[in-house]
Amino acid sequence: MESPSDRMDAAIALKASGSLAVIADDGLELTYADLVTRVDDFAGRIPRRSVVMVLTTRRLPALVGVIACLSRDLVLLPVDAGLDADRVKRLVDGYRPDFLWRPDGGGYVLDDLRGSRGDRPDPHPDLALLLSTSGSTGHPKMVRISGANVRANAAAIASCLGLVPSDRYISTLPLDHTYGISMVTASLQAGAAILVTERTPVQREFWEFFRQAGASVMGGVPYSYEMLRRLGFLRRQLPSLRVLSAAGGKWPDGLQREFAAYAAREGKSLVLMYGQSEATALMASLSADRAAERIGSIGTGCGGRLRLVGDGREEIVAPGVTGEIVFSGPGVSLGYAESGADLARGDERGGSLASGDLAKYDEDGFLYVVGRRRHALEERIEDVVLARKELGRGHVLVHDHHDRTAHDELVVDRIADELQRLVERDVARRDRRNRRKAVGRTRGFAAFGVGREVIGLLLLGRLLLDCALRRLE
């Protein structure tokens, strides 16, 4: 008899087997057969094609809920469980999900919200996943992603990273982030295991679990690797680690050089990927054998066709000529949604996405991003926020030569520096008067003895608000 997880209309397929699928830091191990049982238990309470909001954490029940939705032909709407209650309520009111899977004490509970669905239409038959748009942190605009998009993206990432069944991916990226969820689906596609821990890389216990469980694959965004560098990662001995992957924006040149040198020295693969939520994640990649020699490049197209077009929409093939990146392929999403009423809409992109990023080729056909049609500030904020979620909201741990750890400085101290620089640059470009106010507030806070961590959080809130307002203009 066909398992529901084997249906072609599901975003991912799970095959029951004795291979390890999940290893948790409390010692629990689940085979793929065990995972299928848990997925069946979850999905057995929910009618097919229901919209399920999952409040994501790094705990096993959240992972099971995400996998169940994608393998049982449900529509997944993942939302960070760390959001305040008012923002979650706005999302619930806006998208009117049928069910809510949320943390409750030490476990998770399923709330039936169908009574408040109102006149929200049934979701389109192709819709499988709703993800926050690239650079729209905190804004309810979502990307509508099909099951075919998820399958194509998972296969492309698994291929780019060379994932194999013996791999063990350590899950640190949030499950509401496009690359976080993509690494889960790619790992399942390859038949690999997923390591689950609530610990973050700033905690000793994370690295103890990393070594004990034999983590071989890890992922992040450029800013999280910058923070890992500050944590002393490049001095760590991690014999099981095979692949370091990153997606999102362009890497700073110096950071890429350092990690490429580390990978070469330690015999590991550094694979850099470029993408957007609107393409389900992956659009281009720079392979491990090119990471050290193509500093600053996003590589070549992956998972589809990537090309440059000029202002007249003519295709650019000559090196050194700037054009907009346009991606075509099976990972290109259906379009956007801004409320539950949009969930019934079908494919509005036809498999082609204008990225808004400007790039040029070098003589060998490798791409280099040189600017944005959309403002780069929002993307940078998203990376900073994601890195904080990935690394935790506590202290940065600085390692000495004996690999001991000490509380040295707050993560938000670094973020305060970065955000103030971005505020001053961005606001000066738009409104000098607002720039004087922003800088004046910062100096005023310092004069009254307000800590840098508070300034960082205030600036972060200001920037996120500005981004949201610009999207409403």
Side-chain angles (χ1 to χ4, degrees):
M1 181 177 179
E2 182 186 49
S3 166
S5 58
D6 294 331
R7 290 196 306 255
M8 288 304 294
D9 50 4
I12 57 175
L14 292 179
K15 302 288 186 181
S17 74
S19 300
L20 278 177
V22 176
I23 303 172
D25 63 359
D26 62 0
L28 176 67
E29 295 184 350
L30 299 179
T31 65
Y32 271 86
D34 297 329
L35 180 59
V36 166
T37 298
R38 293 202 178 205
V39 161
D40 285 339
D41 289 343
F42 178 91
R45 296 178 281 169
I46 302 175
R48 182 174 176 268
R49 301 304 298 152
S50 295
V51 179
V52 183
M53 178 181 287
V54 175
L55 297 189
T56 61
T57 62
R58 294 190 182 93
R59 292 155 56 184
L60 180 58
L63 178 66
V64 169
V66 165
I67 295 173
C69 289
L70 293 177
S71 63
R72 292 301 188 272
D73 199 25
L74 304 171
V75 178
L76 171 64
L77 172 53
V79 174
D80 181 11
L83 288 181
D84 64 71
D86 288 341
R87 291 169 70 187
V88 173
K89 184 177 185 302
R90 287 199 296 271
L91 286 167
V92 170
D93 292 343
Y95 287 92
R96 289 172 285 170
D98 299 300
F99 293 89
L100 174 66
W101 183 235
R102 61 178 177 84
D104 181 48
Y108 262 67
V109 296
L110 185 68
D111 295 336
D112 188 339
L113 306 181
R114 286 175 291 180
S116 58
R117 170 175 166 172
D119 59 354
R120 196 213 74 207
D122 291 333
H124 190 275
D126 294 337
L127 183 63
L129 174 63
L130 294 162
L131 280 177
S132 180
T133 58
S134 296
S136 67
T137 306
H139 191 273
K141 188 175 184 180
M142 297 286 174
V143 179
R144 294 180 291 112
I145 295 171
S146 71
N149 294 153
V150 173
R151 290 190 295 272
N153 182 66
I157 290 178
S159 176
C160 282
L161 298 182
L163 299 182
V164 295
S166 59
D167 275 321
R168 296 182 173 187
Y169 163 64
I170 188 155
S171 177
T172 58
L173 290 162
L175 287 173
D176 58 291
H177 184 269
T178 180
Y179 193 50
I181 204 166
S182 292
M183 283 301 299
V184 167
T185 58
S187 298
L188 296 173
Q189 169 82 18
I194 300 168
L195 308 185
V196 179
T197 178
E198 290 188 78
R199 305 293 186 179
T200 70
V202 302
Q203 296 173 290
R204 181 189 296 275
E205 293 86 354
F206 174 89
W207 299 106
E208 291 173 349
F209 176 57
F210 189 109
R211 293 187 179 94
Q212 177 188 353
S216 62
V217 180
M218 63 185 302
V221 294
Y223 196 85
S224 57
Y225 277 95
E226 183 176 331
M227 298 305 296
L228 283 173
R229 180 186 61 78
R230 291 167 59 85
L231 290 168
F233 176 88
L234 297 175
R235 297 191 298 276
R236 284 189 175 275
Q237 297 298 312
L238 301 169
S240 65
L241 181 60
R242 190 176 69 83
V243 178
L244 297 92
S245 69
K250 176 184 176 296
W251 275 50
D253 291 353
L255 187 68
Q256 184 176 337
R257 287 192 183 92
E258 286 189 79
F259 273 88
Y262 165 81
R265 182 177 69 250
E266 300 293 330
K268 306 182 189 307
S269 295
L270 174 65
V271 182
L272 308 183
M273 291 182 282
Y274 158 84
Q276 296 177 358
S277 300
E278 289 83 351
T280 319
L282 183 60
M283 297 163 63
S285 70
L286 184 66
S287 60
D289 60 336
R290 302 287 188 176
E293 66 182 59
R294 302 286 176 175
I295 301 298
S297 174
I298 62 170
T300 56
C302 185
R305 182 179 179 230
L306 192 150
R307 57 197 175 93
L308 297 183
V309 299
D311 291 337
R313 311 317 289 171
E314 74 282 2
E315 184 169 356
I316 296 171
V317 295
V321 180
T322 298
E324 182 180 8
I325 295 174
V326 175
F327 179 75
S328 302
V332 174
S333 62
L334 305 174
Y336 291 120
E338 297 192 53
S339 71
D342 296 329
L343 303 190
R345 292 159 62 180
D347 186 5
E348 298 173 341
R349 288 203 167 103
S352 182
L353 174 68
S355 71
D357 291 337
L358 302 176
K360 60 183 178 182
Y361 294 112
D362 67 8
E363 296 290 341
D364 298 315
F366 287 84
L367 274 167
Y368 293 76
V369 173
V370 297
R372 303 285 191 273
R373 288 192 184 277
R374 58 183 171 83
H375 202 271
L377 177 64
E378 294 179 24
E379 180 183 281
R380 183 59 168 164
I381 291 171
E382 183 178 38
D383 277 1
V384 171
V385 173
L386 179 62
R388 287 200 70 216
K389 289 164 67 176
E390 179 184 353
L391 296 172
R393 293 174 172 82
H395 294 78
V396 168
L397 304 181
V398 179
H399 301 260
D400 64 19
H401 64 285
H402 295 298
D403 198 32
R404 293 193 299 265
T405 57
H407 294 281
D408 184 71
E409 61 188 289
L410 290 171
V411 170
V412 290
D413 184 67
R414 174 66 178 86
I415 293 174
D417 290 338
E418 178 67 19
L419 292 181
Q420 181 164 353
R421 183 180 68 81
L422 290 172
V423 166
E424 292 178 348
R425 185 187 68 185
D426 185 63
V427 179
R429 191 176 293 158
R430 294 166 178 266
D431 189 326
R432 292 188 179 278
R433 182 184 63 185
N434 286 345
R435 176 185 182 278
R436 288 194 297 271
K437 288 181 180 179
V439 175
R441 287 192 193 101
T442 301
R443 290 171 178 165
F445 288 137
F448 284 97
V450 176
R452 291 174 60 82
E453 65 272 21
V454 177
I455 297 173
L457 294 174
L458 289 170
L459 289 173
L460 176 60
R462 164 72 181 274
L463 284 168
L464 294 178
L465 177 60
D466 287 347
C467 289
L469 292 174
R470 284 202 296 273
R471 284 187 171 269
L472 293 174
E473 289 176 352

